Amino acid sequence: MSRPARARFPEPKLITASDDLAAVVERLRSERFVTIDTEFVRERTYWPELCVVQLAGESEVAIIDAEAEGLDLQLLAPLLDDPAVVKVFHAARQDLEIFLYKFGRLPVAMFDTQVAAMVAGFGDQVGYDSLVSALTGGQIDKAHRFSDWSRRPLSPAQIAYAAADVTHLRDVYVKLCERLERDGRAEWVGEEMACLSDPVTFRPDPDGLWERLRPRTGNRRMLGVLRGITAWREREAQRVNVPRQRLLKDESLLEIAATAPANADALSAMRGVSRGFADGRSGIGLLEAIAAAQALPEDSLPAAPRKDGPRPSPALVSLLKVLLAAKCEQHDVAPRLLASSDDIDRLAIEAEPEIPALHGWRREVFGNDALSLKAGQISLGVDGRRIRLLRP
């Protein structure tokens, strides 16, 4: 794959009209790949407010003003839906969440250079500027990283910054593809991208969010209330489009779950709950969620967290972590891609747990040897400055 000649890139074009956007999309659909980035604000809303979309093909760069009056952003859909054009992002999760919200579906044929960089040995969650420097020798001016992208008009400096993100990304993509092909790891990236292609990744089940609060109680009724009101908060935050913590903080949810107020007076006495909130539509909805959870039969309540389950041997966990570090060093791959701390704990406790580390390329690189180490079929030794596997 030849490296695109940056000298041929024209000045970025600011797109504010639907006709211009349609024309850009039509031209870019003839490309093998297109680099994409977004600029947005989210401090005051649940849903991200899209301000700018940047696109780069081999010979043009478009800066789309998503807030331009009369601009039909749906004209982007044919490009995002085109399986013949690879859509290249860096650290794509927030960009993809925006596209899922705006278009009701995710782009197809995606490639995330941050994921690819972890597979290619650049460490965990490598930053874009570091990756650009390492692969191309270029430098990213970060002066406008925290700009208010909702203000208009966009300044020439903001437009130049936005364009640089997608032009450098073309070179990064080409270099990464060359390295992955050379090392036979292109399929590894494909497996990782499957998660980013699943809408569930960006739309967590509201009924499961209560577990993130890590309640320290075995009271199943309280847990049932916490589950109900945490799910209510998520849906209500979406409805009124405010951040969930601004609507009601986690500490308030835990206190409300413990006391289960039955009326507005009792609710307004809770920490972080104003009288106006308690008397309003949100307060009424919260009280209804509490009452519904209180009415659940015992067999419908969530199970209390287990405190007396088996604990992994610290020595075995440490040994598995040494093996993980050695395998990552040997294969030049980021540790978090192979196994998480929870994965290691489960490996130490269970015979063959259902974890990503025991599937696909991860099993070949790490999982099989982890099981062999547990079974005493291999051991670890030191060869100079490196850990090596010893087989009978």
Side-chain angles (χ1 to χ4, degrees), residues 88-106:
V88 180
F89 299 85
H90 181 82
R93 283 181 177 263
Q94 289 187 307
D95 301 315
L96 296 180
E97 182 185 6
I98 291 172
F99 287 127
L100 181 60
Y101 173 56
K102 287 290 186 181
F103 295 93
R105 59 193 182 278
L106 291 166

Side-chain angles (χ1 to χ4, degrees), residues 24 41 63 81 146 150 153 217 237 255 260 310 389:
V24 166
V41 293
I63 307 301
D81 293 339
F146 299 108
S150 65
T217 180
E255 184 178 358
L389 274 60

